[in-house]
Amino acid sequence: MQIFIDSAKLEEIKEAYNAGILDGVTTNPSLIKKAVEEIKKRGDGIDMEDYIKEILKTAHNARVSLEVTEYIYDKMVEQGRKLFKMFNPAAKNVYIKIPANPSFEGEKGKEFDGLRAIKTLSQEGIPVNCTLVFTPEQALLAAKAGAKIVSPFAGRIDDYLRTKNNIAFDKSDYYPADGKNDLNDNGIVSGIDLVRQIAEIFKKHSIEAEVLAASIRNTRQAREAALAGADIATLPFEVIKELLAHYKTREGMRSFTDDAIPEYVNLTKGRN
Ligand code: G3P
């Protein structure tokens, strides 16, 4: 499974990339807002175009998703084309994020705008990551329209199930994907179950689009995304760091370091 970082913070992207394990970056307008607010809070200014180019160059050889903010077909296509033209030359690694269904509640007649935008941009050779996927059906249609990546939002399905059933939770709380609970959203029992069902459908029907497990909030969910067959998981920086954490690793490090005798440590000192 490929690992992407779900962040627009340059320092986080740099650190994860320098660790040598990063396959990509996902951003969205909320993540960009967070990153920019932090920069402004420090009293620094920002040139958005340069900043995004810096992200792209930092993550060269890794795929970077940039999301449209428009939600009407013509405008999404126009913005998608412009973003791609403006930023893809920096490191040839841009994917354009288009929502599965950009219509807001109660709004009729816009349901297909996302699919149409995916189709148009894909036909023009612009790789699309279909975002805000909450059902296997949305994933199937997005792939059919030409999306190269589909992004089920696992954590937000878990939020939805728990909120609907008056279960108190913190955003990072692990929510089991074991199917033993009787909560479900039209047959989806958890965010990881959504990822699994999409991965199974794609496998069964030889659909080439990659399944990117998004909205992952903790390490156990990241592991389950891998087991569920996700091609990619995009993880917040904190979760990426947590992947390496274990009490016994820390304890072992402490005792090995304490036990290191000079005869052994000095073996390699002063030698080439
Ligand atoms: O990749 C999608 C992600 O940014 C949403 O995450 O935690 O806000 O649901 P979250």
Side-chain angles (χ1 to χ4, degrees):
M1 183 175 75
Q2 294 197 11
I3 304 283
F4 285 16
I5 184 168
D6 197 28
S7 174
K9 293 184 184 169
L10 194 51
E11 312 83 60
E12 292 184 352
I13 295 168
K14 277 188 180 156
E15 205 176 326
Y17 194 80
N18 288 339
I21 46 85
L22 199 66
D23 300 300
V25 180
T26 47
T27 69
N28 62 40
S30 307
L31 292 171
I32 288 180
K33 182 179 174 203
K34 249 194 223 169
V36 171
E37 278 175 357
E38 202 172 280
I39 291 168
K40 287 185 178 165
K41 222 167 158 184
R42 292 200 298 255
D44 296 334
I46 181 166
D47 177 315
M48 201 68 248
E49 185 174 338
D50 287 351
Y51 185 80
I52 292 177
K53 284 186 178 159
E54 188 69 26
I55 290 180
L56 297 169
K57 286 184 199 151
T58 299
H60 63 94
N61 298 332
R63 301 180 275 173
V64 180
S65 291
L66 301 175
E67 185 157 347
V68 296
T69 53
E70 301 288 351
Y71 49 90
I72 308 283
Y73 166 75
D74 297 335
K75 297 205 162 151
M76 277 192 286
V77 168
E78 191 190 343
Q79 193 185 20
R81 280 181 187 137
K82 284 185 181 165
L83 283 171
F84 191 74
K85 192 170 165 203
M86 188 181 294
F87 292 114
N88 195 51
K92 305 254 178 301
N93 53 352
V94 170
Y95 275 60
I96 299 297
K97 258 173 140 179
I98 302 284
N101 178 350
S103 73
F104 297 106
E105 206 178 342
E107 197 188 22
K108 297 273 175 246
K110 294 279 176 279
E111 296 88 349
F112 292 115
D113 278 24
L115 290 184
R116 290 174 59 216
I118 291 169
K119 179 142 208 156
T120 302
L121 293 172
S122 300
Q123 279 174 342
E124 292 175 9
I126 297 176
V128 172
N129 171 356
C130 176
T131 189
L132 288 170
V133 168
F134 289 93
T135 69
E137 302 78 63
Q138 289 176 331
L140 186 61
L141 293 178
K144 228 174 144 49
K148 294 266 185 242
I149 295 177
V150 299
S151 293
F153 274 36
R156 291 196 190 184
I157 279 284
D158 295 345
D159 297 347
Y160 181 62
L161 290 174
R162 286 177 288 188
T163 306
K164 248 185 16 175
N165 291 280
N166 300 316
I167 299 170
F169 64 95
D170 281 332
K171 204 177 162 190
S172 60
D173 285 350
Y174 171 72
Y175 181 73
D178 56 14
K180 286 184 190 134
N181 56 65
D182 52 10
L183 313 182
N184 76 83
D185 178 30
N186 196 22
I188 302 293
V189 301
S190 70
I192 291 300
D193 186 39
L194 171 65
V195 172
R196 181 182 304 109
Q197 290 197 28
I198 295 171
E200 272 176 25
I201 290 171
F202 281 17
K203 193 165 172 208
K204 210 166 258 176
H205 297 278
S206 307
I207 292 168
E208 280 175 14
E210 291 169 282
V211 181
L212 184 158
S215 181
I216 299 289
R217 311 280 180 65
N218 54 60
T219 55
R220 192 156 165 190
Q221 213 181 14
R223 180 201 308 155
E224 287 181 356
L227 286 168
D231 299 291
I232 307 163
T234 190
L235 311 175
F237 187 52
E238 289 312 314
V239 176
I240 296 181
K241 283 195 289 187
E242 268 297 303
L243 293 177
L244 280 170
H246 194 277
Y247 172 77
K248 293 298 282 182
T249 306
R250 287 192 294 268
E251 183 195 67
M253 270 311 294
R254 257 195 314 271
S255 69
F256 289 156
T257 311
D258 289 348
D259 287 346
I261 53 171
E263 292 89 331
Y264 182 65
V265 174
N266 293 337
L267 270 179
T268 50
K269 292 237 167 98
R271 303 235 185 155
N272 290 324

